[in-house]
């Protein structure tokens, strides 16, 4: 039996049991909350993602529902050092374990270093992708190396030439002093 898996209404358990794979190459405009954070939106901006479902035995218990999510995007922001646009690479690679419901996820969350989510037959995968990418946004976006201003070098040279034309005031003073005076 084959089944279409929809990223917007995913039956997580069925997806994992089928060893399902989904991927997308979405326009960033589809992710509204993320798009609001962009500085200089462009229709060519894309979010690439892959999701893999798997049933695993973990903690000695079989039949655990896992989802591995990978997402990448190049995100336009403003560099806080030079105030010019900077393309920030965002990358997510996380695994989530799905448990029976929200209450179980919350109860286990304290004691677990896993990322836990509640099982759903209509899980919105794109919402998860968006949440994860939003968390990757840097608080202070910056270039690794800001574009440098080439003009600085030539104005330094002008300054040195200008000062070479003027006599050094201390040298002039020294000239007034006569030995033995
Ligand atoms: Zn910069």
């Amino acid at each position: 039996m084959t089944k279409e898996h929809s990223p917007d209404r995913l039956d997580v358990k069925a997806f994992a049991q089928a060893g399902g794979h989904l991927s997308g190459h979405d326009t960033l405009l589809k992710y509204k909350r993320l798009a609001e954070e962009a500085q200089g939106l462009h229709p060519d901006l894309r979010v690439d993602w892959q999701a893999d479902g798997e049933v695993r035995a973990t903690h000695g218990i079989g039949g655990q529902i896992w989802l591995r999510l990978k997402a990448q995007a190049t995100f336009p922001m403003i560099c806080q050092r030079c105030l010019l646009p900077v393309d920030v690479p965002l990358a997510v690679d996380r695994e989530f374990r799905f448990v029976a419901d929200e209450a179980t996820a919350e109860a286990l969350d304290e004691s677990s270093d896993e990322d836990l989510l509640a099982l759903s037959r209509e899980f919105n995968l794109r919402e998860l992708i968006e949440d994860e990418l939003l968390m990757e946004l840097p608080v202070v976006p910056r270039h690794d190396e800001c574009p440098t201003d080439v003009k600085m070098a030539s104005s330094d040279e002008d300054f040195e030439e200008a000062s070479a034309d003027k006599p050094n005031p201390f040298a002039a003073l020294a000239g007034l002093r006569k030995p033995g005076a």
Side-chain angles (χ1 to χ4, degrees):
M1 189 183 99
T2 56
K3 190 175 178 227
E4 275 296 306
H5 300 291
S6 159
D8 297 316
R9 299 180 71 188
L10 188 66
D11 183 338
V12 182
K13 193 173 180 181
F15 182 67
Q17 284 170 341
H21 175 80
L22 279 170
S23 63
H25 181 64
D26 299 331
T27 171
L28 183 65
L29 303 175
K30 207 168 194 165
Y31 299 80
K32 295 216 161 49
R33 287 175 295 148
L34 195 56
E36 271 175 20
E37 302 293 323
Q39 302 290 325
L41 265 183
H42 196 278
D44 286 347
L45 291 168
R46 290 278 183 265
V47 173
D48 287 300
W49 59 267
Q50 301 90 44
D52 289 283
E54 196 187 343
V55 179
R56 268 189 232 162
T58 43
H59 316 289
I61 311 160
Q64 308 278 340
I65 311 291
W66 284 83
L67 180 87
R68 180 174 191 183
L69 176 69
K70 289 191 199 183
Q72 303 88 35
T74 300
F75 198 78
M77 300 185 89
I78 296 294
C79 171
Q80 295 305 297
R81 194 157 43 195
C82 69
L83 302 179
L84 292 171
V86 56
D87 284 333
V88 180
L90 303 179
V92 170
D93 186 350
R94 281 179 93 169
E95 290 190 313
F96 301 89
R97 182 160 74 95
F98 283 80
V99 292
D101 49 41
E102 211 55 66
T104 313
E106 273 172 35
L108 289 174
D109 200 41
E110 294 282 306
S111 57
S112 173
D113 52 6
E114 295 166 340
D115 293 307
L116 300 166
L117 292 171
L119 263 179
S120 165
R121 285 177 181 274
E122 297 185 346
F123 186 75
N124 190 334
L125 194 55
R126 287 204 173 90
E127 210 168 276
L128 178 65
I129 293 166
E130 188 168 34
D131 286 343
E132 293 299 313
L133 288 174
L134 278 167
M135 278 195 276
E136 288 296 310
L137 290 182
V139 180
V140 183
R142 268 187 302 207
H143 290 104
D144 287 341
E145 269 181 57
C146 289
T148 49
D149 188 358
V150 205
K151 274 192 166 177
M152 287 304 289
S154 67
S155 64
D156 273 357
E157 228 165 72
D158 290 348
F159 176 77
E160 268 171 36
E161 264 173 40
S163 55
D165 289 344
K166 281 187 186 169
N168 183 322
F170 296 105
L173 266 181
L176 292 175
R177 276 196 183 168
K178 299 219 162 79

